Amino acid sequence: MSKTTLTLNARLDRGDFALDVELALPGHGITALFGPSGSGKTSCLRVLAGLERKATGTVVVAGQTWQDSARGVFLPTHQRALGYVFQEASLFDHLTVEGNLRFGFDRTPAAQRRHDWRHGLDLLGIGHLLQRRPHELSGGERQRVAIARALATSPQLLLMDEPLAALDAARKAEILPWLEQLHESLDVPVVYVTHSLDEVARLADHVVLLEQGRVRADGPLADMLTRSDLPLSRGDSAVSVLQGHCSGYSPADQLAVYEIEGGQLLLPQSRQGVPQPGTRARLHIQARDVSLSLVMPSQTSVLNVLPAVVDSVTENTAGQVVVSLRLGADGQGATLLSRISSLSARRLGLAPGQLVYAQIKGVAMVR
Ligand SMILES: Nc1ncnc2c1ncn2[C@@H]1O[C@H](COP(=O)(O)OP(=O)(O)OP(=O)(O)O)[C@@H](O)[C@H]1O
């Protein structure tokens, strides 16, 4: 994990709502702010952006103090090197895409410029749209342009407030790969507000869970998704995220082998998409796609069956439990979630420390 370069300590009293957060966040990658409606996610972004004049505390980004109430420091928004992308792209309709990007670039003081206005064109795949006007773009294209305009200002911090929430499922699916790719190339931290656990799992490196204006927990993505004391591991979309790297490919079976902490996974690959050995990937395994057996199944069509040790068994809703497993016969590997019926858990007599075999019915490779 990269070193901390983003500090947010903030208090904001709105009468019936109080924000009180202390966060030290990585200076690289995407931090997701996740939590129920009204928990204070947007308020955190607004404090970072200097839009909450009444908030007290400190905001330090890349070593620069944007706010330190005790010392009377409060930089106004226009002096904070940040990009802000909202749910609805707020582009200038009278300007072309190029005009919008140049606008972002031109309003950036020369001393702060680290990139040309074209910086986001390839990252977001919008080079062919430069002469269009915003009303001639799809919702997904508009959001990509809005992100590129934010990048054209050479921000030290990129804030994104539910950038996909206004898009339908097809447009979301279209834009998510761009965000994933962007994430690899960006040299500034992104704070990303979302309600969607799927977006968190696909994009985030670090997760902050907010509840009623306070930080319930924060930490690296894989830990936060699988902590049995947090709600993220309990919903229908509970998922484990594993880091893997490719160690081989069988052309005959069209299967790639990925090494993960505590085991190996076989993944079907098309011939066009054969990965190079060493290629890293983020692998998603839905908790509902993992079933358990006490013996190594000898006759099964499931490709991936891994030994694992039970870490905890937590009651879920409607006759279901979430079993948290540590991969490997020694239980020292990555954490994997399995969601099974309470009846099955009772029949198997599952208890912490027990060796089981996890049958993994589906693995999605995210990047
Ligand atoms: N301008 C405002 N004036 C007064 N109260 C506000 C204002 N903006 C937000 N609030 C209140 O502050 C609380 C936190 O709001 P905030 O928008 O930060 O939550 P959120 O987690 O982003 O919610 P959502 O997921 O619904 O967007 C809510 O109770 C909200 O009603």
Side-chain angles (χ1 to χ4, degrees):
M1 186 53 65
S2 54
K3 64 184 191 319
T4 295
T5 54
L6 203 170
T7 308
L8 170 66
N9 294 330
R11 276 156 300 286
L12 174 64
D13 196 349
R14 290 200 183 115
D16 53 357
F17 173 81
L19 184 74
D20 187 354
V21 295
E22 290 201 6
L23 284 168
L25 300 176
H28 182 80
I30 299 183
T31 293
L33 296 188
F34 187 73
S37 188
S39 55
K41 304 180 294 293
T42 296
S43 301
C44 284
L45 290 197
R46 290 177 56 82
V47 172
L48 285 166
L51 294 168
E52 292 290 346
R53 197 65 186 87
K54 289 186 179 148
T56 58
T58 52
V59 176
V60 181
V61 176
Q64 295 167 6
T65 301
W66 289 359
Q67 179 168 354
D68 184 347
S69 309
R71 292 196 295 123
V73 177
F74 185 94
L75 293 193
T77 304
H78 70 272
Q79 286 180 15
R80 301 184 182 202
L82 61 88
Y84 207 142
V85 178
F86 301 91
Q87 206 176 99
E88 303 276 355
S90 53
L91 300 172
F92 295 118
D93 265 328
H94 65 288
L95 296 177
T96 59
V97 167
E98 177 174 337
N100 271 279
L101 298 180
R102 284 182 180 277
F103 177 88
F105 177 76
D106 290 344
R107 68 174 261 271
T108 307
Q112 275 177 32
R113 288 178 190 160
R114 290 178 295 132
H115 306 294
D116 186 34
W117 67 270
R118 297 175 189 85
H119 179 55
L121 293 189
D122 291 340
L123 289 177
L124 291 145
I126 55 168
H128 62 297
L129 303 173
L130 285 180
Q131 297 319 314
R132 302 240 192 117
R133 290 186 188 267
H135 68 269
E136 297 167 327
L137 301 173
S138 74
E141 288 168 344
R142 267 201 297 276
Q143 272 311 39
R144 277 149 57 195
V145 172
I147 297 167
R149 187 176 67 175
L151 293 179
T153 66
S154 298
Q156 297 282 0
L157 174 64
L158 189 56
L159 304 175
M160 301 178 100
D161 196 347
E162 304 209 46
L164 307 187
L167 304 178
D168 60 31
R171 298 286 89 70
K172 270 185 204 168
E174 171 202 312
I175 196 172
L176 268 165
W178 291 105
L179 291 178
E180 284 164 9
Q181 181 183 313
L182 183 71
H183 167 283
E184 299 288 303
S185 336
L186 267 192
D187 56 354
V188 295
V190 179
V191 181
Y192 187 106
V193 166
T194 180
H195 276 109
S196 155
L197 190 62
D198 181 50
E199 282 170 41
V200 171
R202 287 186 64 163
L203 297 174
D205 302 289
H206 194 89
V207 181
V208 176
L209 176 62
L210 286 174
E211 282 178 4
Q212 297 182 338
R214 290 174 178 266
V215 177
R216 162 99 182 262
D218 83 295
L221 173 73
D223 297 352
M224 291 290 286
L225 289 178
T226 54
R227 272 180 56 176
S228 56
D229 60 324
L230 300 178
L232 292 79
S233 68
R234 289 186 218 131
D236 264 359
S237 39
V239 63
S240 314
V241 173
L242 306 171
Q243 293 299 334
H245 69 271
C246 179
S247 61
Y249 177 73
S250 158
D253 298 323
Q254 299 196 24
L255 290 171
V257 184
Y258 280 85
E259 305 294 325
I260 55 172
E261 228 190 309
Q264 276 188 342
L265 292 170
L266 297 175
L267 266 76
Q269 305 282 323
S270 65
R271 282 181 189 279
Q272 295 83 350
V274 173
Q276 294 296 315
T279 304
R280 292 175 59 77
R282 187 186 267 218
L283 305 167
H284 279 195
I285 300 175
Q286 299 287 333
R288 59 174 178 263
D289 286 342
V290 180
S291 60
L292 302 178
S293 165
L294 295 185
V295 292
M296 177 72 182
S298 57
Q299 295 181 328
T300 173
S301 64
V302 176
L303 269 178
N304 292 300
V305 182
L306 300 179
V309 173
V310 175
D311 199 34
S312 65
V313 181
T314 309
E315 287 298 324
N316 203 0
T317 49
Q320 302 256 314
V321 294
V322 174
V323 185
S324 177
L325 307 161
R326 293 286 302 274
L327 290 176
D330 59 0
Q332 296 298 306
T335 300
L336 181 71
L337 296 179
S338 161
R339 200 176 65 175
I340 57 174
S341 68
S342 309
L343 177 62
S344 304
R346 272 202 312 281
R347 282 182 174 164
L348 296 176
L350 294 183
Q354 192 169 7
L355 177 68
V356 295
Y357 294 87
Q359 304 193 75
I360 301 169
K361 281 171 276 178
V363 182
M365 185 158 55
V366 177
R367 61 170 189 250

